[in-house]
């Protein structure tokens, strides 16, 4: 008789399929884990790079801000020095103008006094020649006024002090000279020897005064020259300070632009890090 049917195992194919799937899933898991490890490593490297860039940008921003602050302070100092230099220059220019006006006034007065003194010295020298000369009549034609030229030789010799006094008084009136007027008064009162001595003393004194005034004029000329050099020096210093302030202003503007750029880069880095962190968490 035929053998009764018994149970036959029918799941061998399913188990094989499951075992195959298991191997496949394991391989896929290993591949995903490797891929995830690589992505994690890339993320960590990116974060490290962004952190480094952020730290460097903040450091540069701080340095540039400090540098800009120093430049601003230096600019303020330079502007203060410029104002001080301008003030000193204005003071020097005013002093120079006053000094120039004073020196021009004194120079004109000096020239006028020198001219009068020269004529006074010539008058005194002529009077001395008349007193010392034995031929008074010859000197009369050269030195005395026409009114005196009609006087005889004997009269001139006897009246030499009077003639000299009148001659000096006339020259004093023409030149408006107190020195010649005083000399004329003394000539009319003193003996001839004293008159000659007095005239010599007057000539010496007037020459000394002329030399003294020449020295003062030389001082004025030297002072004007020195003041001109000082004004030129102040002008050069003011121009140099202006140029330096312009350079500082340009540097400050450039630093401001760089700081703005760094702020923008820091913002972008923060956004990139936030996006990378969110992506990593997701």
């Amino acid at each position: 008789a035929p053998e009764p049917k018994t149970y036959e195992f029918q799941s061998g194919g399913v188990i094989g399929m499951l075992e195959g799937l298991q191997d496949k899933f394991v391989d896929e898991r290993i591949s995903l884990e490797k891929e995830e490890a690589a992505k994690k490593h890339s993320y960590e490297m990116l974060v490290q790079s962004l952190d480094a860039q952020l730290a460097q940008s903040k450091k540069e921003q701080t340095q540039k801000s400090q540098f800009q602050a120093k430049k601003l302070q230096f600019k303020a100092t330079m502007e203060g020095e410029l104002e001080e230099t301008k003030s000193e220059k204005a003071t020097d220019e005013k002093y120079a103008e006053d000094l120039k006006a004073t020196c021009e006034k004194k120079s004109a007065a000096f020239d006028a006094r020198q001219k009068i003194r020269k004529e006074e010295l010539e008058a005194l020298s002529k009077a001395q020649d008349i007193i010392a000369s034995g031929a008074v009549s010859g000197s009369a034609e050269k030195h005395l006024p026409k009114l005196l030229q009609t006087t005889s030789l004997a009269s001139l010799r006897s009246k030499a002090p009077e003639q000299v006094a009148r001659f000096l008084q006339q020259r004093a009136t023409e030149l408006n000279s107190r020195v010649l007027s005083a000399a004329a008064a003394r000539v009319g009162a003193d003996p001839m020897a004293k008159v000659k001595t007095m005239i010599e003393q007057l000539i010496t004194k007037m020459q000394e005064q002329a030399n003294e005034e020449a020295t003062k004029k030389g001082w004025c000329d030297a002072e004007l020259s020195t003041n001109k050099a000082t004004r030129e020096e102040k002008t050069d210093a003011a121009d140099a300070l202006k140029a330096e302030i312009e350079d500082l202003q340009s540097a400050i503007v450039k630093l401001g632009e760089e700081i703005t750029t760094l702020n923008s880069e820091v913002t972008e880095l923060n956004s990139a890090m936030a996006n990378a962190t969110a992506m990593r968490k997701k």
Side-chain angles (χ1 to χ4, degrees):
E3 295 181 358
K5 293 182 179 180
T6 58
Y7 175 78
E8 295 181 359
F9 183 72
Q10 301 294 329
S11 300
V14 175
I15 293 174
M17 181 189 68
L18 292 174
E19 289 176 351
L21 286 174
Q22 181 182 11
D23 294 337
K24 180 181 178 181
F25 289 159
V26 169
D27 293 337
E28 289 180 357
R29 187 192 65 186
I30 292 173
S31 177
L32 289 172
E33 288 177 351
K34 290 181 179 180
E35 184 179 354
E36 175 66 12
K39 288 182 179 180
K40 183 178 180 182
H41 178 70
S42 298
Y43 167 78
E44 291 174 351
M45 294 297 294
L46 176 62
V47 170
Q48 184 178 359
S49 176
L50 291 174
D51 285 337
Q53 291 180 21
L54 182 62
Q56 181 64 26
S57 297
K58 288 183 177 179
K59 181 179 179 181
E60 291 179 2
Q61 183 183 13
T62 303
Q63 290 177 347
K64 289 185 181 295
S65 297
Q66 293 175 352
F67 186 68
Q68 184 184 29
K70 290 180 180 179
K71 287 290 183 181
L72 287 171
Q73 183 179 1
F74 187 66
K75 177 189 172 185
T77 303
M78 290 295 102
E79 288 176 345
E81 290 183 3
L82 177 61
E83 292 301 323
E84 183 179 355
T85 302
K86 284 182 178 179
S87 177
E88 291 179 359
K89 181 185 175 186
T91 304
D92 291 341
E93 287 177 347
K94 186 178 184 304
Y95 174 73
E97 291 175 359
D98 295 341
L99 181 63
K100 184 178 180 181
T102 302
C103 286
E104 287 177 352
K105 183 178 179 181
K106 289 187 177 181
S107 178
F110 169 77
D111 293 337
R113 288 196 302 272
Q114 287 292 89
K115 182 179 179 181
I116 293 174
R117 187 163 286 110
K118 181 180 179 182
E119 294 176 354
E120 289 175 345
L121 287 171
E122 290 176 355
L124 290 173
S125 179
K126 291 174 184 177
Q128 190 178 25
D129 291 341
I130 293 171
I131 294 172
S133 175
V136 181
S137 60
S139 298
E141 295 178 357
K142 183 178 180 182
H143 302 299
L144 298 180
K146 291 182 178 180
L147 181 64
L148 302 177
Q149 292 179 8
T150 58
T151 308
S152 64
L153 176 61
S155 176
L156 286 173
R157 287 178 177 177
S158 62
K159 297 182 179 180
E162 182 181 354
Q163 304 289 350
V164 171
R166 292 178 61 186
F167 170 72
L168 291 176
Q169 186 59 48
Q170 182 178 356
R171 293 299 292 162
T173 303
E174 293 174 355
L175 300 176
N176 193 21
S177 172
R178 290 180 295 177
V179 176
L180 292 182
S181 180
R186 293 184 63 181
V187 165
D190 292 344
M192 295 302 295
K194 291 184 178 181
V195 170
K196 185 177 180 181
T197 302
M198 179 212 41
I199 292 175
E200 290 176 350
Q201 291 176 349
L202 281 175
I203 291 173
T204 302
K205 181 179 179 181
M206 293 173 71
Q207 287 175 344
E208 290 176 352
Q209 290 177 350
N211 292 332
E212 182 179 354
E213 290 192 352
T215 302
K216 291 181 179 179
K217 186 174 184 298
W219 177 85
C220 280
D221 294 339
E223 191 70 12
L224 282 173
S225 177
T226 302
N227 197 271
K228 181 180 178 182
T230 302
R231 289 200 314 273
E232 291 176 353
E233 181 181 354
K234 296 290 183 183
T235 301
D236 293 340
D239 292 340
L241 287 172
K242 286 180 180 178
E244 192 165 359
I245 287 175
E246 290 176 357
D247 292 340
L248 288 172
Q249 288 175 341
S250 177
I252 288 170
V253 171
K254 184 178 179 181
L255 286 170
E257 293 175 354
E258 291 180 357
I259 288 174
T260 302
T261 303
L262 286 172
N263 286 332
S264 177
E265 290 178 356
V266 168
T267 302
E268 291 177 0
L269 288 172
N270 287 330
S271 176
M273 286 187 65
N275 291 333
T277 302
M279 184 183 296
R280 174 61 187 166
K281 289 181 178 179
K282 185 177 179 180

